Amino acid sequence: FKYISSPVTNADDIGFQIAPRINAVGRMDTARTAVELFLTEDEKLADELALKINQFNTERKNIQNDIYEQAKEQVETKKLNKKILVLYGEDWHHGIIGIVAGKICEEYKKPCIILTSNDDGKTVVGSARSTEHLNIYETLKKFSEDLVKFGGHSQAAGLALKLKNLDKFTKEIENYADLY
């Protein structure tokens, strides 16, 4: 991986330099590219694939930063007093919203649900991250009649709902969070 600024010498380097790049290609395109890199014995192809993976990671970081800034602006201007942060961006990247939900949750010390429009234009998909004080899976379960699907565990979940139910869902889950 000559596209990494410092030599890979230990497990931390793998965890913080190589793994994010491999993860990024799966979020931005397909993990097949990373698998191909690991399996090829062709040095030229390996170099091309590594460059492509590095470019996906750079693109992922840029998109992540853009979504994060937009989400943070929503919090600061509309949601600061809420106990759960339900944030929506119509064209936010599906593969990135979970990372942003985690960052927002960590920064504001509040559960966060990041939602974006699905490709069909009729549903909204999202990713939730929570604090130790709220089991996000059990919370979503209470609103399952509004959801097309959901799944996860106490600290993280994924969900989908009809776009027409977005405002209702947001208000109801915010009201519920006010009680805990």
Side-chain angles (χ1 to χ4, degrees):
F1 265 86
K2 67 184 184 184
Y3 302 102
I4 296 174
S5 58
S6 58
V8 176
T9 60
N10 59 42
D12 282 347
D13 292 339
I14 293 170
F16 293 104
Q17 296 295 321
I18 295 175
R21 286 167 169 78
I22 293 166
N23 187 283
V25 74
R27 290 178 182 280
M28 303 300 296
D29 188 45
T30 173
R32 204 172 298 186
T33 305
V35 172
E36 213 178 320
L37 173 62
F38 288 128
L39 296 177
T40 189
E41 294 181 21
D42 180 331
E43 201 170 314
K44 184 178 178 197
L45 178 59
D47 192 48
E48 290 170 9
L49 293 169
L51 175 61
K52 187 176 181 180
I53 288 170
N54 200 58
Q55 289 168 337
F56 275 123
N57 190 50
T58 300
E59 182 182 358
R60 188 259 322 148
K61 285 181 191 176
N62 291 335
I63 292 169
Q64 179 181 321
N65 287 338
D66 288 345
I67 295 171
Y68 174 75
E69 290 302 322
Q70 292 172 38
K72 191 172 174 177
E73 183 178 335
Q74 281 186 31
V75 173
E76 294 291 331
T77 60
K78 301 175 187 172
K79 305 278 185 164
L80 210 47
N81 64 334
K82 301 296 182 186
K83 289 188 177 181
I84 189 168
L85 304 171
V86 182
L87 311 171
Y88 173 75
E90 185 176 346
D91 59 353
W92 289 346
H93 193 288
H94 299 186
I96 308 297
I97 58 176
I99 300 170
V100 175
K103 287 185 69 155
I104 295 288
C105 176
E106 185 177 322
E107 181 170 343
Y108 291 94
K109 310 288 189 251
K110 296 178 181 183
C112 179
I113 302 173
I114 302 275
L115 300 161
T116 190
S117 293
N118 202 1
D119 297 334
D120 66 7
K122 296 177 183 176
T123 57
V124 172
V125 295
S127 193
R129 299 296 181 271
S130 193
T131 63
E132 62 190 36
H133 305 294
L134 180 77
N135 182 321
I136 197 67
Y137 177 81
E138 292 299 325
T139 300
L140 290 174
K141 199 174 184 181
K142 293 179 186 311
F143 299 94
S144 61
E145 70 277 353
D146 291 330
L147 303 175
V148 174
K149 63 182 178 177
F150 73 101
H153 54 81
S154 64
Q155 299 297 295
L159 63 147
L161 63 142
K162 293 191 182 305
L163 179 59
K164 67 181 183 179
N165 294 335
L166 177 60
D167 289 337
K168 175 182 180 263
F169 170 78
T170 300
K171 287 176 187 159
E172 287 179 357
I173 202 163
E174 287 175 346
N175 289 338
Y176 172 80
D178 285 341
L179 302 175
Y180 81 86

